[in-house]
Amino acid sequence: MYRHVKPRFSWKLQSWIGVGMEKKMIEAGAIFDRVCGKYISARREEVKRSQVNNNDHFIRDSHANLLTSHIKLDTTQYQLLDPINDKFLRDNVFALLLAGRDTTASALTWFFWFLSENPLVVTKIRQEIDMNLPRSCSGQERPSCDPMEYLNKDVLKQDFGLYLWGGG
């Protein structure tokens, strides 16, 4: 919103000089690049180790993610993709973070709207939480939500199926 309100020459000048909000954006970009660089380097090393140890199923099964699949991409089939280039991988990580942020926000919005419209569902979820996640003597809940069948199978899948993908 900031750049849409200010005149273009103003924020471009601030960016060039490195002051104000533009300075913060430059610093945030540098931090993001540094964090992504560390993550990409660690993933590259993990892929190399698994290839040296001939342990490719390790990456495929337990640590498979989109970054790993981009790193292991066969570049002979694609002309525009360059997984050797860290900027290419960083841009993909950034795109996935943005996409995940929006879809997560949308999913949570629909979930809480669904709960606000169905107080009986909230009651059942609370009963299930009390039954499956008893508090310890320190008042902390156990972290596992696996045994909560009503919440996992009925509520979440119905909510996501009906509203996120237009199923009903």
Side-chain angles (χ1 to χ4, degrees):
M1 182 76 177
Y2 163 77
R3 286 185 171 182
H4 297 288
V5 175
K6 273 197 150 185
R8 184 177 179 157
F9 74 88
S10 176
W11 64 260
K12 286 248 183 200
L13 180 64
Q14 283 184 344
S15 179
W16 183 66
I17 295 172
V19 295
M21 187 68 110
E22 294 298 317
K23 179 181 179 183
K24 289 181 181 179
M25 289 178 61
I26 291 168
E27 290 170 352
I31 291 169
F32 182 78
D33 288 346
R34 191 170 51 249
V35 169
C36 280
K38 286 180 184 178
Y39 185 69
I40 289 168
S41 296
R43 186 59 63 171
R44 280 191 198 277
E45 286 300 317
E46 197 171 312
V47 168
K48 284 180 188 175
R49 265 195 315 252
S50 72
Q51 288 173 346
V52 166
N53 295 337
N54 222 3
N55 195 9
D56 196 38
H57 75 297
F58 171 75
I59 294 284
R60 201 175 326 113
D61 296 337
S62 62
H63 289 78
N65 59 33
L66 288 172
L67 179 59
T68 303
S69 64
H70 274 87
I71 290 172
K72 294 173 67 176
L73 209 77
D74 180 15
T75 55
T76 59
Q77 296 177 356
Y78 308 99
Q79 293 177 354
L80 298 177
L81 301 180
D82 187 12
I84 295 171
N85 183 352
D86 280 358
K87 184 177 179 338
F88 169 80
L89 294 171
R90 182 200 56 117
D91 291 346
N92 276 293
V93 168
F94 185 67
L96 292 169
L97 283 173
L98 288 179
R101 179 202 64 171
D102 293 340
T103 55
T104 302
S106 176
L108 288 172
T109 300
W110 279 114
F111 177 71
F112 287 114
W113 177 83
F114 176 76
L115 289 179
S116 72
E117 294 291 315
N118 298 289
L120 291 175
V121 172
V122 174
T123 304
K124 280 186 173 183
I125 291 172
R126 285 186 178 170
Q127 288 172 350
E128 191 173 43
I129 288 172
D130 289 340
M131 187 173 59
N132 291 311
L133 297 177
R135 295 187 183 273
S136 65
C137 40
S138 66
Q140 298 284 331
E141 289 184 3
R142 292 187 317 187
S144 175
C145 294
D146 291 338
M148 294 196 281
E149 289 185 28
Y150 180 72
L151 176 63
N152 289 336
K153 292 185 179 147
D154 295 338
V155 177
L156 292 175
K157 288 185 181 167
Q158 179 180 356
D159 173 42
F160 295 155
L162 287 177
Y163 300 107
L164 292 183
W165 294 288

